[in-house]
Amino acid sequence: MSRTRPLIAVVDDDQGMRTALRRLLCAANFDAETFPFGPEFLTSLQARQPDCVVLDMDMPQLGGLALQERLTQAGIRLPVVVVTGRDSDATRLRALAAGASAYLAKPVDGHTLLDAIAAAISHPPAPASSTENPVVNRHHPEPEKYDRQPGNNG
């Protein structure tokens, strides 16, 4: 049986955030599956792969960056939209370099999140053999905002 609505996986240890995001996604005509921790999400990939992952950076057991690395090591190329309550330039650059399609700071505006998910689904990650620069991510809605540190013109 094929899906007619895109499936979005939400990986966040905050129950309230998972519930709110599931409701938002379902109201926006997405199917949503939520996971409290990275290992549960990784196990679910054996049965099905989502069309996009909304991933919290700061989680126990397996943080967002480590989860992104595991996906890459396994050759699993999924669009990832990162959300974090602990925004920093270093984390932003690491997440984008690891292949995130978008990086959003909490609290996340619903429309901004839905736009980022739609863009990520429309432009899935390149195959692992791609030579594309992972920091200059052409799929990010506002790449200039995240690709350069202040004072760096290159």
Side-chain angles (χ1 to χ4, degrees):
M1 174 160 126
S2 65
R3 294 190 312 247
T4 57
R5 298 178 354 156
L7 174 62
I8 312 303
V10 176
V11 186
D12 195 313
D13 60 318
D14 182 315
Q15 174 64 43
M17 186 68 149
R18 288 193 313 274
T19 300
L21 291 179
R22 183 177 33 78
R23 288 178 180 159
L24 173 70
L25 292 166
C26 290
N29 206 30
F30 291 107
D31 285 331
E33 191 169 12
T34 63
F35 303 90
F37 304 110
E40 287 83 353
F41 169 68
L42 289 173
T43 299
S44 79
L45 295 176
Q46 296 170 8
R48 69 195 155 285
Q49 287 193 1
D51 296 291
C52 184
V53 180
V54 176
L55 179 61
D56 183 27
M57 282 285 100
D58 189 32
M59 295 182 291
Q61 298 182 17
L62 185 64
L65 288 172
L67 180 56
Q68 276 188 284
E69 289 172 9
R70 289 225 185 141
L71 291 171
T72 300
Q73 290 169 355
I76 300 170
R77 305 288 295 177
L78 295 173
V80 174
V81 174
V82 170
V83 293
T84 184
R86 296 183 187 202
D87 183 26
S88 74
D89 289 339
T91 302
R92 179 181 306 115
L93 290 173
R94 287 180 61 200
L96 293 172
S101 298
Y103 179 97
L104 304 171
K106 292 179 183 178
V108 177
D109 174 74
H111 294 294
T112 301
L113 178 61
L114 293 173
D115 288 346
I117 291 169
I121 291 172
S122 297
H123 304 288
S129 62
S130 172
T131 58
E132 180 179 353
N133 182 338
V135 175
V136 181
N137 187 331
R138 63 185 171 84
H139 304 305
H140 192 281
E142 297 174 336
E144 298 81 22
K145 185 174 179 181
Y146 302 110
D147 295 339
R148 293 185 181 88
Q149 294 184 38
N152 181 359
N153 295 323

